[in-house]
Amino acid sequence: MPAFPDAARRAVGDTRLRHNLAHATSTIRGRRAGAVAELDDWGALREAGKQIKDHVLANLGHYLRLLEENVTAAGGTVHWARDAAEANRIVADLVKATGETEVVKVKSMATQEIGLNEALAEEGIAAYETDLAELIVQLGDDRPSHILVPAIHRNRSDIRDIFRREMPDAPEGLSDSPAELAEAARRHLRAKFLSAKVAVSGVNFAVADTGTLVVLESEGNGRMCLTLPETLISVMGVEKLVPSWRDLEVFLQLLPRSSTAERMNPYTSTWTGSTPGDGPRDFHLVLLDNGRTATLEDEVGRQALRCIRCSACLNVCPVYARAGGHAYGSPYPGPIGAILSPQIRGIGSEVDSSLPYASTLCGACFEACPVAIDIPEVLVHLRARAVESSRKHPGEQMVMGVAGWTLRSPARLGLAQKAASASRWVVGRNGRIRRLPGPLSAWTDTRDAPAPPRESFRAWWERTEGGTREDRRGGR
């Protein structure tokens, strides 16, 4: 993926994408505002969610050990994965041990993060997404562009064409009617549910004191994946813990209202280990680190690990609404992706070092976040880290060095100000600097700047004796 500015520039030129995003995000945003306004104690719930998450992060080792003990006691098997490669290897080995070559999946951001589908394909294992939007993305050989609505960039005619082209059992004459599209997907997936012996799931929350895992979804596909197959493999980021069911109650109020604007989630599935004769015979939990403990060490950046994947920050972000999710080059798009991806992947790549700048710092994301992640604060923090770690911009370093040398001397500063005032007739004749030459054009390619004033404040102060003598020449 290219850096965010380059990817966003192409996305902004797609008028249909901008229309789809504007319509979808404004609709979700309006409904969410109504759902939140129904609760007089929303602020208290938000603070409770923040404190529970911070408590878990401060005691993560304890709660992970407790979860492992209780999952194991309930008949499950726990696996620890340090990174994406280890997690993919664990899942692939578990599937191959069953002798199966197909798995069904319930939507999971963690498996997208590690590229599990691609890793399984390399091992000869086909993974079938069962969430409707994820199915659309998969059949279209596409990438998700939204946390909650992965196919938000597609319209009904796109989906009809994808189903006609890629779904072997799509009915002839399929139209773009939502009811017909949903029915075609339902019939296609039902065959997968009934034949699959292995399922892979994500995890929204894990209750440490009972070893219970929780998945929230809106279509019932998750319930099918979690109950019908003989083997269930769940991949979970280590930060998804809550201490108790009482704590889970807080998030079961925060998440539905912040994501789908519903008072309660349509399908909330919970399971604890395995039970003979009821559900999967074998249950495996893969606990994924993949940069999370490194993120935990950052006192400012660690608050990103509070995220409950509700997508509220995406739906209020003016940058996301115009650029879309693909421009972020990550399974985690929008404001949360701009702070989470550079931390779990590292800020060394071109795309990750650019993500903290994919924001206007307007603060709308912070106001919308149900667990009070101060995304603008983390963005500024990561921008500083990107500058400190960068060794790819010697021109910028040279400019900063010259600026420091100039500012250390009043005489040099005065000369620089006079030169800047004189330059306005060359670079800012209309009062704005719209194009600078050479390497400096990287600045003006993305912004205009005011032209230098005709007279600096220092020059004005000296000429008017601090403003006490009348300014007869009309200078400012």
Side-chain angles (χ1 to χ4, degrees):
M1 283 294 297
F4 180 83
D6 295 329
R9 186 178 296 111
R10 291 198 296 270
V12 168
D14 186 337
T15 55
R16 189 175 70 168
L17 173 65
R18 293 206 314 273
H19 177 269
N20 289 354
L21 289 170
H23 174 71
T25 56
S26 63
T27 300
I28 298 170
R29 185 167 62 244
R31 291 176 179 171
R32 176 190 180 275
V36 167
E38 292 178 349
L39 297 184
D40 294 334
D41 63 345
W42 179 259
L45 274 172
R46 186 178 189 241
E47 179 62 22
K50 172 182 180 293
Q51 291 191 20
I52 292 168
K53 279 291 190 176
D54 282 347
H55 170 75
V56 168
L57 294 175
N59 301 275
L60 188 58
H62 163 71
Y63 285 116
L64 284 172
R65 288 190 293 271
L66 182 61
L67 178 70
E68 181 183 31
E69 291 172 6
N70 289 320
V71 168
T72 303
T77 303
V78 177
H79 309 263
W80 298 81
R82 287 167 292 189
D83 53 28
E86 190 167 9
N88 289 333
R89 185 173 67 251
I90 290 169
V91 175
D93 288 347
L94 289 172
V95 176
K96 287 191 288 187
T98 68
E100 298 295 319
T101 58
E102 294 183 351
V103 302
V104 289
K105 288 182 63 197
V106 56
K107 181 180 176 182
S108 167
M109 298 297 296
T111 60
Q112 291 173 9
E113 174 189 326
I114 63 177
L116 178 62
N117 287 7
E118 294 78 8
L120 291 178
E122 291 179 359
E123 299 289 338
I125 300 167
Y128 297 100
E129 299 289 352
T130 63
D131 174 88
L132 176 56
E134 292 285 354
L135 174 65
I136 294 165
V137 169
Q138 185 178 44
L139 290 177
D141 194 23
D142 201 350
R143 291 175 292 120
S145 61
H146 191 278
I147 290 175
L148 177 66
V149 194
I152 196 172
H153 57 289
R154 296 290 194 181
N155 58 30
R156 290 185 299 171
S157 61
D158 291 336
I159 298 167
R160 177 203 60 206
D161 294 343
I162 290 171
F163 280 10
R164 285 178 174 178
R165 185 176 63 250
E166 302 295 339
M167 188 184 287
D169 49 359
E172 291 187 16
L174 179 66
S175 76
D176 64 357
S177 161
E180 287 192 33
L181 294 173
E183 181 64 17
R186 183 181 295 113
R187 291 180 179 277
H188 172 76
L189 290 172
R190 183 59 55 96
K192 300 297 182 186
F193 290 135
L194 295 177
S195 63
K197 303 296 184 183
V198 182
V200 175
S201 85
V203 179
N204 287 103
F205 304 102
V207 183
D209 66 359
T210 62
T212 302
L213 304 186
V214 185
V215 160
L216 284 73
E217 41 96 13
S218 301
E219 301 170 12
N221 62 301
R223 186 71 53 85
M224 303 284 275
C225 285
L226 298 168
T227 56
L228 292 178
E230 297 175 358
T231 300
L232 174 60
I233 305 167
S234 299
V235 181
M236 168 188 142
V238 294
E239 81 280 13
K240 293 297 187 70
L241 285 160
V242 295
S244 68
W245 280 82
R246 183 177 181 182
D247 301 306
L248 178 64
E249 177 189 358
V250 172
F251 297 102
L252 293 184
Q253 296 179 75
L254 287 172
L255 182 55
R257 291 177 186 267
S258 289
S259 57
T260 56
E262 294 170 298
R263 296 180 180 91
M264 67 180 293
N265 202 67
Y267 291 90
T268 300
S269 300
T270 67
W271 68 101
T272 307
S274 61
T275 302
D278 182 13
R281 294 182 316 204
D282 297 313
F283 168 59
H284 298 269
L285 173 61
V286 181
L287 293 172
L288 175 69
D289 185 332
N290 203 39
R292 287 161 173 78
T293 54
T295 302
L296 191 60
E297 295 174 359
D298 188 321
E299 293 185 3
V300 177
R302 70 174 60 149
Q303 58 185 297
L305 297 177
R306 291 186 208 143
C307 178
I308 58 175
R309 310 294 192 264
C310 70
S311 78
C313 63
L314 280 69
N315 299 324
V316 299
C317 177
V319 176
Y320 174 85
R322 288 156 180 80
H326 292 160
Y328 292 81
S330 166
Y332 303 106
I336 187 60
I339 65 170
L340 186 59
S341 299
Q343 293 192 90
I344 62 177
R345 299 194 306 200
I347 209 162
S349 72
E350 185 179 20
V351 62
D352 287 312
S353 63
S354 72
L355 286 178
Y357 297 91
S359 171
T360 64
L361 301 180
C362 67
C365 51
F366 175 43
E367 295 299 323
C369 179
V371 288
I373 302 172
D374 193 341
I375 294 177
E377 178 188 33
V378 183
L379 286 167
V380 172
H381 173 67
L382 292 177
R383 289 179 185 186
R385 279 181 49 187
V387 171
E388 291 169 2
S389 64
S390 175
R391 293 294 180 268
K392 300 178 181 179
H393 304 290
E396 180 178 334
Q397 294 176 2
M398 180 185 70
V399 169
M400 291 299 107
V402 171
W405 176 79
T406 302
L407 293 171
R408 284 193 295 269
S409 166
R412 291 195 291 265
L413 178 59
L415 290 172
Q417 289 173 330
K418 290 179 181 179
S421 294
S423 73
R424 68 177 279 116
W425 304 110
V426 179
V427 298
R429 293 182 180 181
N430 297 319
R432 308 289 292 179
I433 299 176
R434 302 192 184 280
R435 181 72 178 176
L436 287 171
L440 297 177
S441 64
W443 175 267
T444 52
D445 281 345
T446 55
R447 58 183 66 79
D448 291 340
R454 292 189 295 270
E455 185 178 33
S456 70
F457 175 79
R458 285 161 54 94
W460 172 86
W461 185 271
E462 181 180 354
R463 181 172 56 76
T464 64
E465 298 178 0
T468 58
R469 182 165 56 84
E470 183 180 357
D471 183 9
R472 300 185 181 279
R473 290 187 292 177
R476 293 182 181 179

